[in-house]
Amino acid sequence: MRLVEITDLTVSFPQADGVVQAVRGASFHVDEGESVGIVGESGSGKSVTCMAALRLLRQPPAKIAAKVMRLDGIDMLAADRKTLSGVRGRVAAMVFQDPMTAFDPVYTIGAQIVETIRAHREVSKADARREAEGLLAKVEIRTPAAVLDSYPHQLSGGMMQRAMIAMALSCQPRILIADEPTTALDVTVQAQILQLIKGLQDELGMGLVMVTHDLGVIAETVDRVVVMYGGRVMEEAPVAAIFDEAKHPYTRALMASMPGQVGGRRRLTEIPGSSPNPADPPMGCPFHPRCSEADARCGHEIPPVVVTGEASRAACWRLT
Amino acid sequence: MTGFIIRRLLSISVTFIIVSILIFTMMHAIPGGPFDGGEMPLPPAVREKMMAQFGLDQPVWVQYLKYMSGVIRLDFGVPFQSPGETMFSLLADAWLPSLVLGGLGVLIGAPLGILLGIAAALHRNTWIDYLASAVATIGLTVPVFVTSMLLILIFAVWLNWFPASGWGEPINWVLPITAYATIPMATYARYTRSAMLDTLNKPFVTVLRAKGLTENKIIYGHVLRNSAIPMVTVFLPMFIGTATGSIFVEAMFRVPGLGSYFVSSIRTRDYPLEMALMLMLTVMFCVAYLISDVAYALLNPRIRYGDRKG
């Protein structure tokens, strides 16, 4: 059973002077108990893809289309309001980037977790509160009762992110989508949060989608990697293969630009140029203007998806 | 909270003193005096005597101190134009019509405006939004005396449904209150719409959706309460503003309210009456701001004014 199944997803935002194409035909899947990382620079469409999967983008203006978009077998494209609120939080829960703005400032953390529990299950307030306390303990908060009664502004970023993870787990979701969960946090806290997410995923057997621009995060938490660029999937492969034998020139360039590789003082290589303008994407392969291996065909025709291994594929003319 | 209120009361006293000095100085800075001009100018000797009798021949700061020492004992002086009365007896009858007009105007107009603003925000960029915004813009830009005149023309002259002026019966109230209610309605419609849109664009609203809350729970449980925070801060001061804001409406419909005294006291240089009216307004504004600050604190846990547990 596939927990996440997305085929040919396109997301666009019509503007006064044209159309911004945030996602242009992305496909990926997540199996039960599997963790998949979606990596890409800002503007690659990785966050929009996740927001679209939960139908969290306002439609209109957003236009979402796909051949298939299912979460735990539920067709998210055809879902009505009621189905959507049943899926969100229960089938698939999301952890967002900035924990400091993710909570309603006028309610306590406890009230907001209790509210989530009671949105999906018939539980008394007292029982829900007890559950919430247990959840906070599970995300390694040492004073769960005190945090329950705290308002968002009274807690630190790391504490809030733990609380958000606890809130996301409160209805035992089958899928956890974490959208840059450590980007807004102090470096010292980042590793703890990642370990926490990874540990909980193993323990609860959830599918995990980890969206990030940080390859270090990917290396630590996921089984399989989906590399996105310009709204398309460039390459997909098990995490070891991505780090050791990336097939796509973009993935290789991304690896080369990553600091902190073992072996110390290597000069960082940057990728020349900048990511494509989603309002005016280049013809052909979106990466061709910055690709050192591009030829004339790359600038005209969209490259086909080539199977490069058992669980690997890449979209590049070089591999055909 | 108690500490906050005490501190606030202290700062209100300072505000009160500053405002009273400003008004007193500006009042005396206007050329002319209460016993100048008119159709029959007083002989200079009589005028001098009158000035001396009311202490107007003394330096302004002496006059100010004298007046304010009276105010502390709740003695607001003798109105020049009707020396037989005290300030309280003079204004006692004028209070009620102004309060009814302004109060009912706000109590009817503000909720309508809030509903209009919510509807506009929830259906932004649809015809509902455009219609609500058009109504609000018209309410804000068309002067209230024009609205009043239109109402009189349509409902009093043409349709003959309501009397055009007077205040005796509740049926007299309909048109002036309607005319006045357009101001709080328009103000609130705009204010509510922008406060709601502001909240709807906050990241936590997306999180609430991602948790699987229904849209109704999100709007009525979270968005409205967050939007109410900026809204309560303008509500009471606006309520008090009706005391002056309704001057035109009172004039158009001949409502025997405070509005006429504001105008006549300035025209006739009736210094004690001017001061009494202005000080009264100042106190009302200060109290209104105090109450709305307390309401703000109750709604917004980020501001609990120093005390740990609200």
Side-chain angles (χ1 to χ4, degrees):
Chain A
M1 182 67 171
R2 299 227 145 137
L3 285 179
V4 180
E5 193 177 2
I6 292 176
T7 313
D8 266 343
L9 173 71
T10 60
V11 181
S12 54
F13 300 89
Q15 310 273 305
D17 53 345
V19 177
V20 170
Q21 295 180 298
V23 181
R24 304 194 294 146
S27 308
F28 71 96
H29 68 275
V30 180
D31 287 329
E32 234 160 316
E34 192 188 24
S35 58
V36 172
I38 303 184
V39 240
E41 301 167 54
S42 40
S44 61
K46 55 192 192 303
S47 287
V48 177
T49 300
C50 293
M51 298 284 278
L54 273 177
R55 294 272 305 276
L56 286 171
L57 303 166
R58 252 180 83 82
Q59 291 172 277
K63 279 192 179 154
I64 303 174
K67 281 209 186 84
V68 180
M69 189 166 85
R70 289 177 186 281
L71 294 180
D72 199 25
I74 298 161
D75 183 354
M76 292 301 281
L77 283 173
D80 57 13
R81 277 184 158 205
K82 199 163 166 246
T83 315
L84 283 181
S85 48
V87 169
R88 295 168 180 163
R90 170 116 227 192
V91 173
M94 200 155 168
V95 172
F96 290 85
Q97 178 171 349
D98 186 356
M100 302 308 270
T101 59
F103 286 91
D104 183 335
V106 306
Y107 291 101
T108 59
I109 301 292
Q112 300 187 54
I113 299 179
V114 165
E115 170 189 59
T116 316
I117 295 174
R118 282 163 55 87
H120 295 285
R121 286 183 288 141
E122 306 237 333
V123 188
S124 75
K125 270 195 178 161
D127 286 346
R129 196 189 142 90
R130 228 164 287 131
E131 271 189 45
E133 202 172 329
L135 285 161
L136 289 182
K138 201 174 186 65
V139 295
E140 292 157 22
I141 288 176
R142 261 179 247 122
T143 52
V147 170
L148 276 186
D149 290 325
S150 301
Y151 286 94
H153 69 279
Q154 295 170 320
L155 300 177
S156 69
M159 197 70 105
M160 297 274 285
Q161 194 58 294
R162 286 171 195 274
M164 182 152 44
I165 293 167
M167 188 160 78
L169 297 179
S170 63
C171 295
Q172 294 100 36
R174 313 257 300 144
I175 306 156
L176 183 67
I177 301 172
D179 185 2
E180 307 248 8
T182 56
T183 308
L185 302 178
D186 285 348
V187 184
T188 46
V189 188
Q190 287 182 359
Q192 298 172 12
I193 295 290
L194 285 180
Q195 269 165 19
L196 179 68
I197 292 177
K198 186 64 191 145
L200 288 166
Q201 188 236 341
D202 288 342
E203 184 189 332
L204 304 172
M206 299 177 291
L208 174 68
V209 178
M210 175 69 74
V211 179
T212 182
H213 64 270
D214 185 342
L215 289 162
V217 170
I218 289 295
E220 283 176 50
T221 47
V222 308
D223 307 326
R224 201 149 47 77
V225 182
V226 173
V227 180
M228 284 189 75
Y229 184 83
R232 291 179 175 283
V233 174
M234 297 279 107
E235 182 164 11
E236 183 188 329
V239 66
I242 284 283
F243 279 88
D244 297 339
E245 41 183 296
K247 297 286 192 291
H248 198 288
Y250 174 64
T251 316
R252 289 203 298 267
L254 202 61
M255 292 295 155
S257 67
M258 177 181 155
Q261 290 280 53
V262 197
R265 305 175 150 266
R266 186 175 55 86
R267 195 185 150 76
L268 285 180
T269 342
E270 59 175 67
I271 309 177
S274 55
S275 16
N277 175 4
D280 183 22
M283 294 252 295
C285 173
F287 187 58
H288 87 264
R290 302 167 77 185
C291 182
S292 56
E293 299 168 38
D295 59 21
R297 185 166 55 172
C298 299
H300 296 295
E301 289 172 63
I302 290 170
V305 177
V306 182
V307 175
T308 52
E310 202 183 322
S312 312
R313 59 200 170 96
C316 181
W317 283 115
R318 286 272 151 248
L319 302 169
T320 54
Chain B
M1 191 61 92
T2 326
F4 162 74
I5 294 174
I6 292 170
R7 263 177 286 136
R8 218 49 214 277
L9 285 172
L10 284 176
S11 85
I12 284 177
S13 328
V14 177
T15 312
F16 183 78
I17 292 168
I18 295 172
V19 169
S20 67
I21 294 175
L22 280 177
I23 296 169
F24 207 85
T25 342
M26 290 197 294
M27 194 168 76
H28 282 269
I30 303 176
F35 308 112
D36 296 345
E39 275 145 37
M40 285 184 292
L42 295 170
V46 180
R47 189 177 161 276
E48 298 281 304
K49 193 161 168 276
M50 295 285 277
M51 294 286 275
Q53 187 194 331
F54 288 105
L56 294 171
D57 52 346
Q58 287 163 329
V60 172
W61 65 270
V62 176
Q63 293 184 40
Y64 171 78
L65 289 179
K66 270 194 175 161
Y67 186 81
M68 290 308 282
S69 68
V71 168
I72 293 169
R73 285 173 276 117
L74 291 179
D75 170 13
F76 290 88
V78 177
F80 291 162
Q81 297 300 318
S82 26
E85 303 205 54
T86 68
M87 211 54 85
F88 285 105
S89 68
L90 182 70
L91 297 180
D93 292 338
W95 254 107
L96 201 60
S98 287
L99 195 70
V100 170
L101 173 58
L104 285 182
V106 171
L107 288 181
I108 292 169
L112 279 178
I114 291 173
L115 290 177
L116 214 57
I118 293 175
L122 293 185
H123 300 95
R124 59 181 175 281
N125 301 329
T126 65
W127 65 270
I128 297 175
D129 184 16
Y130 299 140
L131 185 71
S133 300
V135 169
T137 311
I138 291 171
L140 281 182
T141 47
V142 176
V144 72
F145 53 85
V146 175
T147 323
S148 305
M149 235 143 47
L150 280 175
L151 287 172
I152 291 173
L153 193 65
I154 296 171
F155 294 101
V157 179
W158 290 347
L159 296 172
N160 205 14
W161 287 356
F162 303 105
S165 69
W167 192 252
E169 302 291 319
I171 196 160
N172 293 111
W173 303 357
V174 176
L175 290 187
I177 289 177
T178 309
Y180 185 67
T182 55
I183 303 174
M185 186 192 71
T187 314
Y188 257 99
R190 284 174 53 101
Y191 217 81
T192 308
R193 180 182 182 272
S194 70
M196 288 275 292
L197 285 184
D198 204 49
T199 312
L200 281 169
N201 285 329
K202 295 233 161 102
F204 76 77
V205 176
T206 307
V207 178
L208 293 173
R209 292 212 176 92
K211 293 186 341 184
L213 293 201
T214 59
E215 205 63 14
N216 275 347
K217 272 197 184 142
I218 295 173
I219 299 297
Y220 297 103
H222 292 270
V223 176
L224 265 186
R225 175 149 175 200
N226 274 275
S227 310
I229 296 171
M231 273 154 56
V232 292
T233 52
V234 292
F235 184 76
L236 274 165
M238 192 168 75
F239 195 84
I240 306 303
T242 60
T244 50
S246 55
I247 289 176
F248 287 117
V249 177
E250 289 187 10
M252 292 299 298
F253 293 93
R254 292 175 204 237
V255 177
L258 288 174
S260 57
Y261 286 107
F262 272 99
V263 182
S264 66
S265 69
I266 294 172
R267 205 186 51 231
T268 61
R269 310 281 185 276
D270 194 334
Y271 298 140
L273 184 55
E274 263 186 273
M275 273 309 272
L277 288 167
M278 294 307 291
L279 291 182
M280 181 183 80
L281 262 190
T282 309
V283 170
M284 276 164 39
F285 268 111
C286 289
V287 172
Y289 276 113
L290 173 68
I291 295 174
S292 54
D293 281 348
V294 172
Y296 190 79
L298 293 178
L299 279 170
N300 187 350
R302 282 165 294 184
I303 318 242
R304 286 280 150 96
Y305 305 113
D307 309 340
R308 272 300 288 173
K309 278 285 172 188

